[in-house]
Amino acid sequence: MTNNASNTALIQELKSIVGNSFVLTDNTKKQPYTKGFRFGSGDALAVVRPATLLEIWQALKACVAADVIVIMQAANTGLTGGSTPDGKDYDRPIVIISTMRIDSIQLIDNAKQIVGLAGSTLFGLEDTLAPHGREPHSVIGSSCIGASIVGGICNNSGGALVQRGPAYTELSLFAQIDDQGNLSLVNNLGISLGNTPEEILTNLQEQNYTDADVQFPELRASDDEYHARVRDVDADTPSRFNNDGRRLYESSGCAGKLAVFAVRLDTYPVPEKHQVFYVGTNDPAVLAQIRRDILSKFDNLPVSGEYLHRDCYDASKKYGKDTFLVIDKLGSKYIPKMFGIKRTVDRIADNFKFLPNKFSDRIMQYLSCLWPNHLPKRMDEYRDRYEHHWIVEMSNAGVAEAKAYFDEFFKTNEGNYFECTEEEGEKAILHRFVAGGAIGRMQTMNSKEMGAIMTIDVAFPRNEQDWFEQLPPEIDEQIAVKLYYGHLFCHVMHQNYIMKPGVDAKAVKNKILETFDERGAEYPAEHNVGHEYFAKDALKSFYKKLDPTNSFNPGIGKTSKCKHWHEPADK
């Protein structure tokens, strides 16, 4: 059978499994799945959108039998292109299996834990847990609006919550291909669901199990050591980063080298009391001292601590305003719908050559200018007074502890703070939340005057004092805009740059990364390697162990895209 004939036969088989309308082969319809949120794109033979876990399994069996590449994809919100094809140099056709129709979340142990199916989202998890007075393991970050639960686990994502660390579990259900090319289902959820893949997947999908079927093995459903790790402020290694071998375990950190059907995670009680403190200063050393004091001396760890530089404050205020208003007025659940509308508008606009690139962004930007100032007066006053802004959230007994500390600290140190009202606190966090998308909008609206975007996701050692970047003049002069924000307690920074026209962004990035290597920093910190960063040897070995035939998401971490990890010259 010729390749074309075998490809046609595979497409027909996939259609028989999930239905004709849920196998996409038209390039326009495939684009939302083949193009990354910010980075990476490529082609796929088909995009398959199954409705059940069993349909995923059946589609996987068909793909393995046809010897095609499979990319498991959830929300496709990553910033490093890790869940889309990248370029054309693959040795086999690619099938993308999108899991977003399978979004059920199941509660176990009185909502102290959850089981999230393949397409479940953090938005959905927040809503599911709210009536039970519980919170998720992670919160939505500025870089992953609409993110999936499983995608977070597969990429060890997040970590904004200081007490909880990155997304992690040792309890999951996944499919794996061995070195002989055989597909098998591995049930490490800790729930008795049957013996065959069909029984296991159907029973889980229909929640056909009892409390007696749920075991509690000595396996983690979260990174329960992180609170101690982040407190070690004198350690010369970062608190968290994607290459950290401590948190590479089966589905956790697999980056799509396994086909993950479900994960089991811990949840947390909603605090009885919480307070947001807004800190401003013109001296980064002030924030470094506060960070060390709170992490090493406080009885209570903060909930979060989100940093924002003044330039990023301005960019977020201007270019993140529309997203801010949508979430503030309509709620975060509307964001995925908004992004869907944007993709549709851009897809239609692309058919008209006279319309500008990213037409939806331009429309939304112009409309946002019609709305009055959306930020609280005290925040804007701090913007005028201070270069560095830090949003520190405390809970329960930590509220009084932080207030007493700040009152005393700012008697003798430069800067100041204020206690946010509930509205100010929500808007401060939301303002930081929309910062991640601001740089892209800024570049779109000023594309004639600016060059390429370049982003870095870096984790500095816990004992690093000079955390705020000061670039050498020969690098700095090539950059038009620098926008800094991040999770300061964890020493994880998101450093975003727009080059001057004609500047080679990759060359500049490599020079900046060299300075990070000299300082003992790790990168990426929480966005994973995707197709943008090299996977270090330990991470590459982990990938090869999980996927010896290199059939799931090949090329990740700039590794081989060829079967059995051969290099192209070996074909």
Side-chain angles (χ1 to χ4, degrees):
M1 191 183 297
T2 65
N3 283 342
N4 285 340
S6 58
N7 290 346
T8 300
L10 174 60
I11 290 171
Q12 286 304 120
E13 185 174 1
L14 293 171
K15 287 181 177 179
S16 71
I17 294 169
V18 304
N20 289 352
S21 60
F22 296 108
V23 177
L24 311 179
T25 56
D26 178 79
N27 287 335
T28 302
K29 293 181 179 179
K30 288 188 296 182
Q31 189 183 64
Y33 306 90
T34 58
K35 186 175 183 179
F37 180 71
R38 184 187 288 175
F39 178 89
S41 64
D43 194 19
L45 175 66
V47 175
V48 184
R49 301 182 60 233
T52 66
L53 298 176
L54 183 57
E55 287 184 1
I56 294 180
W57 173 254
Q58 292 168 335
L60 285 173
K61 288 201 298 182
C63 290
V64 170
D67 193 26
V68 301
I69 288 167
V70 173
I71 296 179
M72 297 292 295
Q73 185 185 94
N76 191 19
T77 57
L79 297 188
T80 57
S83 58
T84 60
D86 181 62
K88 299 180 179 180
D89 49 340
Y90 293 89
D91 62 345
R92 292 151 290 170
I94 297 171
V95 171
I96 297 172
I97 298 180
S98 171
T99 63
M100 294 305 289
R101 294 176 68 206
I102 311 168
D103 59 358
S104 297
I105 296 169
Q106 301 171 6
L107 303 178
I108 57 179
D109 192 22
N110 296 315
K112 293 178 182 177
Q113 290 188 330
I114 63 99
V115 174
L117 302 195
S120 55
T121 66
L122 287 177
F123 285 138
L125 183 53
E126 289 176 353
D127 287 345
T128 300
L129 291 176
H132 302 273
R134 308 288 294 185
E135 292 182 332
H137 61 289
S138 301
V139 294
I140 293 291
S142 60
S143 59
C144 53
I145 295 171
S148 72
I149 296 171
V150 168
I153 292 296
C154 292
N155 292 296
N156 288 140
S157 298
L161 299 180
V162 180
Q163 302 161 7
R164 302 173 196 176
Y168 179 77
T169 188
E170 296 168 2
L171 298 162
S172 64
L173 173 66
F174 57 88
Q176 187 170 25
I177 301 173
D178 66 18
D179 55 3
Q180 301 301 311
N182 300 311
L183 181 72
S184 62
L185 186 71
V186 180
N187 180 13
N188 285 343
L189 268 181
I191 304 174
S192 297
L193 295 165
N195 298 312
T196 67
E198 291 75 15
E199 289 176 340
I200 292 169
L201 296 171
T202 300
N203 285 333
L204 179 60
Q205 180 92 46
E206 298 177 357
Q207 205 165 352
N208 186 25
Y209 57 88
T210 67
D211 290 346
D213 293 318
V214 179
Q215 297 98 40
F216 294 88
E218 292 186 2
L219 294 171
R220 294 184 175 92
S222 61
D223 187 353
D224 58 2
E225 298 174 338
Y226 186 74
H227 63 282
R229 187 171 175 83
V230 75
R231 280 189 180 276
D232 188 0
V233 294
D234 293 315
D236 59 3
T237 57
S239 58
R240 59 182 175 89
F241 54 97
N242 287 130
N243 284 303
D244 187 355
R246 296 169 55 256
R247 289 297 173 256
L248 299 175
Y249 186 93
E250 296 181 345
S251 296
S252 293
C254 74
K257 304 303 287 182
L258 300 172
V260 183
F261 291 84
V263 294
R264 180 173 164 183
L265 299 167
D266 290 331
T267 70
Y268 304 85
V270 174
E272 296 179 2
K273 182 179 182 181
H274 82 280
Q275 176 65 52
V276 174
F277 298 91
Y278 201 97
V279 178
T281 181
N282 291 305
D283 184 358
V286 167
L287 298 189
Q289 186 60 52
I290 294 173
R291 173 186 171 272
R292 286 184 62 87
D293 288 346
I294 290 179
L295 291 178
S296 63
K297 298 177 181 179
F298 274 35
D299 292 331
N300 303 277
L301 277 176
V303 174
S304 66
E306 295 298 286
Y307 168 78
L308 202 67
H309 184 265
R310 176 190 280 155
D311 292 343
C312 193
Y313 183 106
D314 292 344
S316 184
K317 181 177 181 178
K318 182 174 182 179
Y319 296 105
K321 186 176 182 180
D322 56 317
T323 304
F324 182 106
L325 292 172
V326 167
I327 297 173
D328 187 44
K329 305 302 180 185
L330 301 177
S332 58
K333 289 187 292 185
Y334 191 80
I335 288 295
K337 183 180 292 185
M338 183 186 81
F339 274 76
I341 294 171
K342 276 171 48 63
R343 283 194 295 265
T344 300
V345 169
D346 286 336
R347 189 168 68 242
I348 295 172
D350 286 345
N351 295 322
F352 299 92
K353 300 299 182 184
F354 63 88
L355 292 177
N357 184 40
K358 296 186 178 180
F359 186 59
S360 66
D361 280 287
R362 297 175 188 275
I363 292 175
M364 294 178 70
Q365 183 62 36
Y366 289 131
L367 289 176
S368 71
C369 294
L370 302 176
W371 199 272
N373 183 19
H374 58 292
L375 296 182
K377 181 180 179 181
R378 287 201 290 181
M379 283 176 57
D380 279 345
E381 288 174 348
Y382 264 49
R383 180 264 167 223
D384 293 338
R385 292 169 59 187
Y386 301 117
E387 180 180 359
H388 304 283
H389 298 238
W390 200 11
I391 306 159
V392 178
E393 185 177 3
M394 303 295 297
S395 63
N396 296 335
V399 173
E401 191 173 22
K403 176 173 171 48
Y405 170 82
F406 286 136
D407 284 341
E408 190 64 28
F409 181 85
F410 284 112
K411 288 179 180 178
T412 55
N413 290 277
E414 189 272 337
N416 209 341
Y417 86 101
F418 65 85
E419 294 179 74
C420 294
T421 64
E422 184 175 352
E423 180 183 4
E424 286 174 330
E426 291 174 354
K427 289 191 172 184
I429 293 170
L430 182 52
H431 184 55
R432 159 63 185 89
F433 174 94
V434 302
I439 188 170
R441 177 69 62 77
M442 173 186 268
Q443 197 270 350
T444 296
M445 300 304 297
N446 300 277
S447 56
K448 293 182 179 179
E449 298 84 27
M450 294 180 175
I453 292 176
M454 187 262 286
T455 65
I456 296 180
D457 165 34
V458 60
F460 292 112
R462 284 165 281 176
N463 65 353
E464 176 65 74
Q465 292 291 312
D466 297 324
W467 61 274
F468 186 70
E469 182 174 72
Q470 299 291 336
L471 290 171
E474 63 272 17
I475 297 177
D476 197 53
E477 65 186 10
Q478 300 183 72
I479 300 172
V481 175
K482 295 176 291 187
L483 301 180
Y484 298 139
Y485 59 91
H487 318 298
L488 195 54
F489 283 116
C490 307
H491 257 188
V492 167
M493 293 296 295
H494 302 305
Q495 305 193 161
N496 301 270
Y497 314 84
I498 303 178
M499 301 296 108
K500 292 180 179 178
V503 172
D504 184 342
K506 288 186 177 180
V508 173
K509 183 170 187 172
N510 289 334
K511 290 179 181 178
I512 294 176
L513 293 180
E514 287 175 6
T515 69
F516 291 160
D517 291 336
E518 295 170 358
R519 298 167 64 184
E522 291 279 356
Y523 50 85
E526 61 183 18
H527 293 162
N528 218 340
V529 289
H531 289 288
E532 192 170 6
Y533 295 91
F534 282 96
K536 295 185 178 180
D537 289 342
L539 188 57
K540 191 184 300 184
S541 296
F542 177 64
Y543 292 160
K544 287 185 175 182
K545 180 180 178 181
L546 295 180
D547 183 21
T549 66
N550 203 22
S551 297
F552 285 132
N553 207 14
I556 205 76
K558 298 187 181 293
T559 58
S560 169
K561 294 179 179 177
C562 299
K563 193 170 183 180
H564 294 293
W565 299 86
H566 296 313
E567 295 303 323
D570 297 333
K571 290 190 292 181

